[in-house]
Amino acid sequence: HIGDKAWQEVSKLELCAMIERDRNHSSIIMWGVRINESPDDHDFYSATNQLAHELDPSRVTGGIRCFHGSELLEDVYTMNDFKYDLGTPDATKYLVTEYGGHMYPTKTFDQEERVVKHMLHHAHILEQVYRMPIAGGIGWSAFDYNTHAQFGSGDRICYHGVMDIFRQPKLVAALYASQLELTERVVLEPMTYWTRGDLDEGRISPLWICSNCDRVDVLVDGVNLGSARRSERFSHLPNPPFVMDHIPGGWGEQFGELEVLGYSENVLVARKKIAADGVPTKLEAQLDDTEITADGADMTRLSLQVTDSYGNFQPFAFDVVKLEVSGPALVIGPN
């Protein structure tokens, strides 16, 4: 929505206030000078673009569009493109500012095939971002968030994130983490809960694994099935996810625990095990801070997870946990 002239003058004041407040922050790479997903307005957006350049000549400008063929007044053509196959760039300087989102929302307690497909959905779009001659792409969004009834899922939460509303990673988060250099962080995450009964036909293939290791071996019940292969579907990614197409066994057959081994130059650098029994075994707690200030305003996050015997999150464990604290502290949320 773009309002009348008085409304536009207030918008210009807000733009000036934002740039004057934040222009000394080194993390800023571009100023957005358009109202989010609004139609073109030549005079209004010529003025906002000029204001941004006057207040900060060192940075480029952009403006969030949601339709192709928009007039380009800024330095970079910035576009919200939620299609599965991204559109053709409208300019040589082009940035996809939002993708994903409502096209494939997921919950941490969704059935496995949906959350795996969520990862593949992001991989498909990320593959295009790396392949196309564009500046890059920004996924919408990092986290699930509170919203209104029209965007919610019956609980007024938007499940568009790669992490949930409590900042806990969904499976897809490992896809992004695995694009890091191995020297920065070793990532080895199987895209499975390792339960046959949650999958169509009881099949557990294909098995996808997100990792930045050179090689990933797969073991089931202690038997080495060999190395998974990098997927050719996503060959433009720095580290395409691994896939193992066929794992022996089917519905009703016994199968043992999963173990994946990650190697760098033939040196074992990571291993991950998932129990086959699906039994909630442990209650694990993680605290973001070991010390906070008792001033009535400081706070921290305590994360609780019900896990299998190897510490893997059990998404369908809905047992009630009661928390009590002693001393000058309060438990807040989630209700």
Side-chain angles (χ1 to χ4, degrees):
H1 171 78
I2 300 175
D4 57 18
K5 294 298 180 183
W7 187 96
Q8 293 175 26
E9 290 305 312
V10 173
S11 295
K12 293 176 189 176
L13 292 174
E14 294 288 348
L15 176 66
C16 292
M18 176 181 71
I19 295 174
E20 289 170 347
R21 181 193 67 197
D22 293 335
R23 60 188 170 189
N24 291 325
H25 291 243
S26 59
S27 61
I28 304 293
I29 63 168
M30 179 188 301
W31 296 114
V33 299
R34 293 173 67 107
I35 305 302
N36 185 56
E37 298 187 343
S38 59
D40 287 339
D41 188 306
H42 179 85
D43 293 342
F44 179 36
Y45 288 140
S46 294
T48 58
N49 191 57
Q50 181 179 345
L51 274 172
H53 281 130
E54 289 174 354
L55 290 167
D56 183 6
S58 70
R59 291 182 176 92
V60 296
T61 57
I64 308 306
R65 299 160 176 79
C66 60
F67 61 95
H68 289 281
S70 168
E71 181 184 23
L72 177 60
L73 298 169
E74 305 80 39
D75 301 310
V76 181
Y77 197 107
T78 40
M79 175 76 174
N80 287 359
D81 189 345
F82 286 96
K83 294 188 294 295
Y84 185 66
D85 293 317
L86 299 178
T88 303
D90 291 73
T92 54
K93 297 178 180 179
Y94 187 89
L95 175 68
V96 177
T97 38
E98 291 182 25
Y99 66 78
H102 62 288
M103 305 307 290
Y104 210 92
T106 57
K107 305 172 179 64
T108 52
F109 46 89
D110 273 341
Q111 183 255 7
E112 179 177 313
E113 284 172 319
R114 182 161 183 85
V115 293
V116 172
K117 195 171 181 181
H118 187 218
M119 183 277 292
L120 295 173
H121 185 99
H122 276 257
H124 176 79
I125 300 171
L126 202 57
E127 162 75 10
Q128 297 170 73
V129 169
Y130 275 96
R131 174 173 49 82
M132 297 169 68
I134 62 176
I138 302 170
W140 180 264
S141 57
F143 310 109
D144 295 346
Y145 53 95
N146 294 117
T147 188
H148 52 78
Q150 285 83 357
F151 280 6
S153 186
D155 51 6
R156 304 206 174 194
I157 294 176
C158 254
Y159 291 94
H160 298 175
V162 298
M163 305 180 84
D164 70 14
I165 201 167
F166 303 110
R167 276 45 178 173
Q168 302 296 334
K170 302 176 185 178
L171 289 186
V172 67
L175 171 71
Y176 289 92
S178 65
Q179 305 313 311
L180 294 169
E181 294 286 343
L182 193 66
T183 53
E184 186 173 351
R185 174 183 165 194
V186 179
V187 178
L188 180 66
E189 291 293 341
M191 300 288 100
T192 180
Y193 301 139
W194 202 242
T195 52
R196 288 192 186 276
D198 200 34
L199 303 167
D200 291 348
E201 303 177 20
R203 298 178 184 272
I204 211 151
S205 305
L207 172 65
W208 292 89
I209 303 163
C210 291
S211 180
N212 52 7
C213 295
D214 300 336
R215 187 182 100 227
V216 171
D217 284 358
V218 177
L219 291 80
V220 177
D221 203 18
V223 177
N224 194 323
L225 303 181
S227 299
R229 61 177 177 84
R230 290 278 192 194
S231 172
E232 296 176 358
R233 286 171 57 183
F234 312 114
S235 59
H236 287 84
L237 297 187
N239 295 307
F242 290 89
V243 62
M244 178 159 278
D245 296 303
H246 179 69
I247 294 175
W251 175 248
E253 295 185 26
Q254 288 293 112
F255 73 112
E257 67 186 24
L258 172 70
E259 183 175 13
V260 291
L261 307 175
Y263 294 86
S264 174
E265 298 180 350
N266 292 320
V267 176
L268 182 65
V269 293
R271 81 169 63 221
K272 180 93 180 245
K273 290 184 177 182
I274 303 180
D277 55 18
V279 176
T281 306
K282 295 187 289 186
L283 178 65
E284 294 192 346
Q286 290 182 328
L287 197 61
D288 286 359
D289 305 279
T290 56
E291 190 173 304
I292 61 174
T293 303
D295 60 358
D298 200 7
M299 62 188 297
T300 190
R301 180 183 64 159
L302 173 66
S303 300
L304 298 175
Q305 286 194 337
V306 177
T307 74
D308 68 5
S309 55
Y310 295 114
N312 299 293
F313 169 59
Q314 300 286 280
F316 309 125
F318 296 118
D319 306 85
V320 175
V321 177
K322 182 179 180 181
L323 299 177
E324 295 180 352
V325 296
S326 59
L330 293 173
V331 175
I332 306 172
N335 296 318

